[in-house]
Amino acid sequence: MKPVFTIMSALLLAVIATVNSCPPSDRAALLAFKAALHEPYLGIFDSWTGTDCCHNWYGVSCDTESHRVADINLRGESEDPIFERAHRTGYMTGFISPEICKLTRLSSITIADWKGITGEIPKCISTLSFLRILDLVGNKISGEIPYDIGKLNRLTVLNIADNQISGRIPASLTSLSSLMHLDLRNNKISGPIPRRFGRLGMLSRALLSGNQISGLIPGSISRIYRLADLDLSMNKISGSIPASLGKMAVLATLNLDCNKISGTIPPTLLTSSIGNLNLSRNGLAGKIPDVFGPRSYFTVIDLSYNKLSGSIPRTLTAASYIGHLDVSYNHLCGRIPAGAPFDHLEASSFSHNHCLCGKPLRAC
């Protein structure tokens, strides 16, 4: 009886192991995904062996109940021992195979900072209905954002910064009602910001700098109640600044520098919750609104390289804090007010204006 019992136990353990391992279809999809990539230095794919891709496959995690592959987390910059032993960051070439879309229960895809991955974002990515995180930052991925990316209604993070993505921001992106973090920085994206951008009601960070985005700033952005960080710098945006941006409840950082923005500075921006305001290198004209007061708290106000005229507002001395102020390269004139914050600012903050005088410049 003992040999029979041993055989039965072995069979039972084999059945349990099979039930608790990933499906063969998921394993096949991962191996096809791996086949499109080449990582010559760290050997991160050396662990992708055996039949159970849920167990000790580097960067792969599975759902504990369904045993389907749920997460792919491959970062080229990490504190993992494999990087410490190699004394280097990762470098990977190849492309992201559409076979990844056969992992239909994926919740997160992180393939970040590998520097050499090319190709396009697989268009089928929009079929992964459970996807919450898509992080492809720091590669050489080209092509366009999938036009129907708005189908990913669970997506909370979309980070494709530091790539070579081109084309327009698809209108469907504004349907991502769960999106909280959007990072499109440093690509080749062109065209306008979708007019209905304000539909992204859960968004807290919108980082779009370093592209070729044109057109106007949509007024609908001001309806995003949770938005704290808006960076549209280093683009080709034109038109005026919507005054409604200064009425946003939690907006703390507004970077609009290096665009083609014209018009005047809305007074609402200077009486708002914004603490880091950069409007430099645009075509703003008119006077700096004289609306500062005890509730004004700015770590940075940069208005340099514009066409501003008139004098420096005296109410700036009533602000509770101004860490850094730069009004250089404008058409300002008159006496620089005495006292804080002017007593700790350098002459370069006021240089290249028409006729400013007083400390830290020459005496009037």
Side-chain angles (χ1 to χ4, degrees), residues 32-76:
F33 162 76
K34 169 192 167 184
L37 298 168
H38 178 59
E39 191 285 297
Y41 301 110
L42 304 174
I44 65 164
F45 291 129
D46 290 350
S47 63
W48 287 32
T49 59
T51 57
D52 187 5
C53 58
C54 292
H55 185 65
N56 292 335
W57 281 38
Y58 184 89
V60 177
S61 301
C62 295
D63 180 78
T64 55
E65 294 184 3
S66 67
H67 305 289
R68 297 292 307 278
V69 174
D71 304 293
I72 296 176
N73 186 2
L74 300 174
R75 289 191 178 276

Side-chain angles (χ1 to χ4, degrees), residues 71-89:
D71 304 293
I72 296 176
N73 186 2
L74 300 174
R75 289 191 178 276
E77 297 177 2
S78 171
E79 295 180 0
D80 190 277
I82 197 171
F83 291 84
E84 294 180 6
R85 288 194 298 269
H87 303 291
R88 61 167 295 142
T89 57

Side-chain angles (χ1 to χ4, degrees), residues 26 30 40 56 76 99 110 137 160 189 196-197 218 228 231 236 260-261 280 294 342:
D26 278 15
L30 283 172
N56 292 335
E99 292 293 311
T110 299
V137 63
I160 55 174
I189 297 169
R196 303 179 73 181
F197 199 81
D231 189 350
K236 298 179 180 180
K260 299 179 179 181
I261 298 170
S280 66
F342 305 100

Side-chain angles (χ1 to χ4, degrees), residues 66-307:
S66 67
H67 305 289
R68 297 292 307 278
V69 174
D71 304 293
I72 296 176
N73 186 2
L74 300 174
R75 289 191 178 276
E77 297 177 2
S78 171
E79 295 180 0
D80 190 277
I82 197 171
F83 291 84
E84 294 180 6
R85 288 194 298 269
H87 303 291
R88 61 167 295 142
T89 57
Y91 184 79
M92 188 186 295
T93 57
F95 63 96
I96 301 172
S97 170
E99 292 293 311
I100 198 172
C101 301
K102 293 182 179 178
L103 300 168
T104 56
R105 299 290 296 195
L106 274 175
S107 175
S108 70
I109 300 173
T110 299
I111 307 168
D113 298 315
W114 291 104
K115 307 173 187 69
I117 295 177
T118 56
E120 300 185 359
I121 301 171
K123 291 181 173 58
C124 59
I125 214 88
S126 58
T127 65
L128 298 176
S129 59
F130 291 89
L131 198 62
R132 296 180 182 274
I133 297 172
L134 180 59
D135 185 351
L136 306 177
V137 63
N139 291 294
K140 291 183 180 177
I141 297 169
S142 57
E144 301 184 4
I145 301 170
Y147 76 96
D148 57 352
I149 197 167
K151 291 181 179 179
L152 299 176
N153 56 20
R154 287 185 169 98
L155 200 68
T156 60
V157 174
L158 176 58
N159 186 355
I160 55 174
D162 301 322
N163 279 287
Q164 298 175 7
I165 305 294
S166 59
R168 296 188 171 209
I169 301 172
S172 75
L173 186 140
T174 65
S175 297
L176 297 175
S177 57
S178 299
L179 195 65
M180 293 186 279
H181 179 96
L182 175 64
D183 195 344
L184 309 180
R185 289 177 294 180
N186 303 324
N187 280 287
K188 299 177 181 179
I189 297 169
S190 59
I193 299 170
R195 185 173 54 86
R196 303 179 73 181
F197 199 81
R199 294 176 64 194
L200 299 171
M202 299 296 290
L203 201 62
S204 62
R205 302 189 78 198
L207 311 177
L208 282 67
S209 65
N211 283 287
Q212 299 166 21
I213 297 169
S214 58
L216 308 178
I217 301 172
S220 68
I221 289 178
S222 60
R223 296 201 294 268
I224 308 176
Y225 181 83
R226 299 168 182 264
L227 191 62
D229 189 350
L230 177 60
D231 189 350
L232 305 179
S233 61
M234 294 182 285
N235 280 292
K236 298 179 180 180
I237 295 169
S238 58
S240 58
I241 302 172
S244 56
L245 294 184
K247 299 177 183 179
M248 297 177 68
V250 297
L251 188 63
T253 298
L254 178 60
N255 292 330
L256 302 178
D257 49 298
C258 301
N259 278 289
K260 299 179 179 181
I261 298 170
S262 58
T264 59
I265 299 173
T268 53
L269 295 187
L270 306 179
T271 58
S272 66
S273 60
I274 299 170
N276 188 329
L277 178 64
N278 192 340
L279 307 179
S280 66
R281 298 180 186 272
N282 280 289
L284 294 167
K287 295 183 176 182
I288 302 172
D290 197 1
V291 294
F292 297 90
R295 296 181 62 185
S296 302
Y297 188 102
F298 288 91
T299 54
V300 174
I301 305 180
D302 193 343
L303 308 178
S304 61
Y305 291 91
N306 277 289
K307 301 176 182 179

